[in-house]
């Protein structure tokens, strides 16, 4: 349940529907399912198996494979940590908007209002002032995360019993509300109309793989950490299939809710659906508020929507933190509470950067780098470590011993060849594109600092942590 909570996050609600729409609509389901089965599921089985077999999180279990591989684990946690720093800021906006829901101060200029809440400056070079509401929201997020994980995974287990089903239920309500509005069907038609020619473009397939990785929370050491808490004989294959299909199913379903409302907005404004479609933050904080203001019972629906975002996000956010905390606790003798308090305070302090006027720009840059390089590189390295050094047969024997559903030689083929090839190809294609067009037209220095700079810091830190000695807990401590 916790792994499903980690997987189902903001990405399902605002990333999947947009990526699908831009890459062939209904036809996108084909590359998406292919990516899910050829990369998502095999790698998830691998991450679960590692954690469960060695009862350690990512650095510790990769160290068992080969001591130097510990670094891959820290690298994964570093990427996760830097994602959590801005993910918490986005959730901070959600807290603010939850409060605004009751009075809807965005009026008829939601975009200008969003920018004024953020105190948005003119570019990454102009730092601007701190936005106090965002800072308060950020504090609320970190306090919640700390409260949930300070006592360890038992509390996590209880919290996810609420934060996983609740947003699904709320999304269902939003969908029902959406479908009863005029224009909804037009929106859905827009979402699903298949454009099979998109399948001929390499970009569509790349996007499908990237979306699968981000959405399944692969490559951040999270699933390995969660699996390390399971008894050694728990079923791995079943868990991997359930997590993957629950995540993909919710993403597809969320698309109906999103596009029914977009259809309604388009109709109300008398423009084609294509003109109201946007991805990323503006979908949640500009387009949706606009649509909601037009509906009867707007405050209620708005509050419901932001509670959905908060409950979707919180279990993804604390899963990253728990991944890091359990990695640190495997290596050093430190209490759960101490590690959690330390990490949450640090996360809050780093997050202050994103609460300034230039915050949104930095968030955008870091997000792009982490997702395009971080995750794909880690997935690739994990495949190499297991496929070429540890041996897929050996790990598969363990997986099959504890799982109901036995996996065959196909899994070896994927981990050794197909998955790393697909990821390597994605990586090269990304880098070529990066070097040819500067991302979103940002100045080069900003991309060097927020993009390559952050990546370099993470790699160096991972190396340093790997070099430090282990001061493990004694048995039973
Ligand atoms: N899987 C989450 C989503 O779809 C995102 C996430 C990324 C969660 C990284 C944890 C770690 O939104």
């Amino acid at each position: 349940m916790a792994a499903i909570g980690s997987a189902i996050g903001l990405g399902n609600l605002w990333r999947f529907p947009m990526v699908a729409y831009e890459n062939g609509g209904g036809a996108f389901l084909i590359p998406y399912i292919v990516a899910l089965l050829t990369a998502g599921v095999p790698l998830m089985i691998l991450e679960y198996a590692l954690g469960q077999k060695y009862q350690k999180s990512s650095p510790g279990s990769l160290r068992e494979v080969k001591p130097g591989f510990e670094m891959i684990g820290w690298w994964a946690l570093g990427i996760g940590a830097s994602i959590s720093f801005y993910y918490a800021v986005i959730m901070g906006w959600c807290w603010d908007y939850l409060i605004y829901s009751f009075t809807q101060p965005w009026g008829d200029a939601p975009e200008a209002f969003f920018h004024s809440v953020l105190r948005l400056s003119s570019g990454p070079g102009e730092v601007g002032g701190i936005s106090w509401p965002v800072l308060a929201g950020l504090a609320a997020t970190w306090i919640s995360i700390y409260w949930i994980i300070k006592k360890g995974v038992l509390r996590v287990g209880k919290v996810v019993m609420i934060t996983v089903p609740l947003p699904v239920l709320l999304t269902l309500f939003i969908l029902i509300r959406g479908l009863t509005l005029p224009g909804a069907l037009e929106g859905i038609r827009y979402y699903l109309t298949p454009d099979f020619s998109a399948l001929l473009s390499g970009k569509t397939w790349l996007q499908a793989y990237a979306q699968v990785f981000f959405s399944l929370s692969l490559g951040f050491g999270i699933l390995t950490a969660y699996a390390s808490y399971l008894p050694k004989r728990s079923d791995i294959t079943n868990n991997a299939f359930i997590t993957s299909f629950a995540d993909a199913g919710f993403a597809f379903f969320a698309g109906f809710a999103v596009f029914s409302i977009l259809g309604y907005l388009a109709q109300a404004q008398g423009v084609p659906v294509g003109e109201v479609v946007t991805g990323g933050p503006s979908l949640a904080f500009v387009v949706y508020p606009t649509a909601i203001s037009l509906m009867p019972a707007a405050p209620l629906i708005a509050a419901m929507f932001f509670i959905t975002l908060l409950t979707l996000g919180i279990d993804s956010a604390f899963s990253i933190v728990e991944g890091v905390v359990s990695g640190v606790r495997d290596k050093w003798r430190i209490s759960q509470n101490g590690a959690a308090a330390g990490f949450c305070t640090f996360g809050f302090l780093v997050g202050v950067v994103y609460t300034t006027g230039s915050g949104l720009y930095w968030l955008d840059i870091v997000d792009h780098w982490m997702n395009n390089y971080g995750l794909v590189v880690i997935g690739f390295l994990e495949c190499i470590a297991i496929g070429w050094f540890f041996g897929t047969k050996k790990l598969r024997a363990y997986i099959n011993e504890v799982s109901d559903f036995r996996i065959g030689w196909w899994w070896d083929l994927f981990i050794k060849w197909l998955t790393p090839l697909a990821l390597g190809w994605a990586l090269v294609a990304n880098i070529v594109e990066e070097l040819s067009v500067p991302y979103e037209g940002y100045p080069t220095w900003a991309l060097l600092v927020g993009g390559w700079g952050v990546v370099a810091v993470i790699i160096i830190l991972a190396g340093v942590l790997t070099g430090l000695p282990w001061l493990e807990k004694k048995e039973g401590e």
Side-chain angles (χ1 to χ4, degrees):
M1 195 71 154
I4 293 176
S6 173
I8 297 187
L10 303 176
N12 299 58
L13 194 71
W14 80 38
R15 208 165 179 277
F16 176 82
M18 296 306 144
V19 175
Y21 157 71
E22 282 164 11
N23 294 283
F28 182 70
L29 287 175
I30 298 171
Y32 188 75
I33 290 172
V34 170
L36 192 71
L37 293 176
T38 58
V41 175
L43 209 60
M44 186 176 286
I45 294 179
L46 186 156
E47 290 203 355
Y48 274 156
L50 265 183
Q52 193 172 302
K53 179 169 165 63
Y54 294 113
Q55 300 280 297
K56 289 219 171 70
S57 61
S58 201
S61 50
L62 280 162
R63 177 172 173 253
E64 303 271 349
V65 172
K66 197 173 162 46
F69 290 166
E70 181 185 337
M71 185 171 163
I72 306 173
W74 289 115
W75 189 344
L77 296 186
I79 304 277
S82 45
I83 289 184
S84 73
F85 301 151
Y86 68 77
Y87 210 82
V89 176
I90 301 177
M91 292 187 54
W93 305 339
C94 294
W95 287 109
D96 295 340
Y97 268 74
L98 176 59
I99 295 171
Y100 299 146
S101 296
F102 297 98
T103 53
Q104 300 175 32
W106 51 78
D108 50 13
E111 182 156 22
F113 177 77
F114 180 53
H115 291 172
S116 79
V117 172
L118 301 187
R119 300 185 66 179
L120 193 65
S121 70
S122 62
E126 188 198 337
V127 177
I130 287 180
S131 158
W132 300 109
V134 176
L135 191 72
L138 182 66
T141 306
W142 280 113
I143 292 170
S144 322
I145 295 177
Y146 169 66
W147 181 82
I148 293 164
I149 65 161
K150 71 174 177 182
K151 290 257 175 79
V153 283
L154 285 180
R155 186 170 281 173
V156 166
K158 285 187 196 134
V159 169
V160 292
M161 292 300 163
I162 300 168
T163 58
V164 175
L166 186 64
V168 177
L169 212 66
L170 288 175
T171 307
L172 183 66
F173 278 124
I174 295 174
L175 173 63
I176 294 172
R177 176 72 271 226
L179 286 180
T180 53
L181 293 166
L185 290 182
E186 193 48 34
I188 288 173
R189 205 175 60 85
Y190 202 76
Y191 168 44
L192 291 182
T193 304
D195 166 14
F196 289 101
S197 68
L199 301 187
L200 297 176
S201 132
K203 187 181 138 262
T204 303
W205 290 84
L206 262 179
Q207 291 279 343
Y209 278 89
Q211 174 60 18
V212 162
F213 278 104
F214 180 78
S215 193
L216 295 184
S217 304
L218 289 170
F220 301 98
I222 295 171
L223 300 178
T224 306
Y226 274 172
S228 77
Y229 292 110
L230 288 177
K232 259 189 146 159
R233 306 212 55 84
S234 322
D235 195 310
I236 294 173
T237 313
N238 252 338
N239 278 344
F241 274 100
I242 293 172
T243 317
S244 310
F245 286 116
D247 182 67
F250 180 74
F252 183 57
F253 162 73
F256 287 90
V258 169
F259 276 87
S260 64
I261 304 273
L262 294 180
Y264 165 67
L265 181 63
Q267 210 232 21
Q269 296 183 338
V271 294
V273 182
E275 275 179 33
V276 296
V277 177
T278 52
S282 66
L283 175 74
F285 299 99
V286 176
V287 179
Y288 247 68
T290 316
I292 289 170
S293 294
L294 299 172
M295 296 175 196
L300 186 71
I301 310 259
M304 225 182 209
F305 176 65
F306 289 106
I307 292 175
T308 308
L309 289 185
L310 282 169
T311 47
L312 275 179
I314 191 81
D315 38 22
S316 299
F318 69 64
S319 70
I320 305 180
V321 182
E322 181 53 40
V324 178
V325 166
S326 61
V328 168
R329 270 168 46 76
D330 280 343
K331 184 151 179 161
W332 293 290
R333 215 173 299 162
I334 174 171
S335 69
Q336 174 81 13
N337 188 26
F343 187 86
C344 292
T345 311
F346 183 69
F348 172 73
L349 293 176
V350 175
V352 172
V353 174
Y354 300 116
T355 67
T356 63
S358 60
L360 184 62
Y361 305 114
W362 290 108
L363 193 158
D364 188 24
I365 295 172
V366 177
D367 175 67
H368 174 79
W369 254 264
M370 293 303 115
N371 287 311
N372 280 285
Y373 303 102
L375 194 143
V376 179
V377 176
I378 302 294
F380 178 81
L381 293 177
E382 279 178 344
C383 289
I384 301 298
I386 298 301
W388 295 89
F389 289 88
F390 184 79
T392 39
K393 279 215 176 68
K394 219 157 94 194
L395 196 60
R396 181 153 63 91
Y398 165 68
I399 297 167
N400 282 338
E401 197 186 305
V402 298
S403 306
D404 262 349
F405 178 77
R406 293 174 64 84
I407 50 174
W409 56 269
W410 56 268
W411 187 74
D412 305 33
L413 183 69
F414 279 123
I415 295 296
K416 257 184 116 149
W417 294 103
L418 301 181
T419 315
L421 277 175
L423 294 176
W425 166 60
L427 193 67
V428 172
N430 275 341
I431 293 183
V432 168
E433 162 135 358
E434 204 68 64
L435 298 178
S436 52
V437 238
Y439 175 60
E440 299 276 323
Y442 287 116
T444 311
W445 68 269
L447 300 181
L448 284 176
V449 174
W452 302 118
V454 174
V455 173
V457 169
I458 294 173
I459 296 177
I460 293 170
L461 215 62
V464 171
L465 288 172
T466 306
L468 294 177
W470 283 65
L471 296 170
E472 286 172 272
K473 290 170 293 196
K474 295 194 196 72
E475 269 319 308
E477 199 180 333

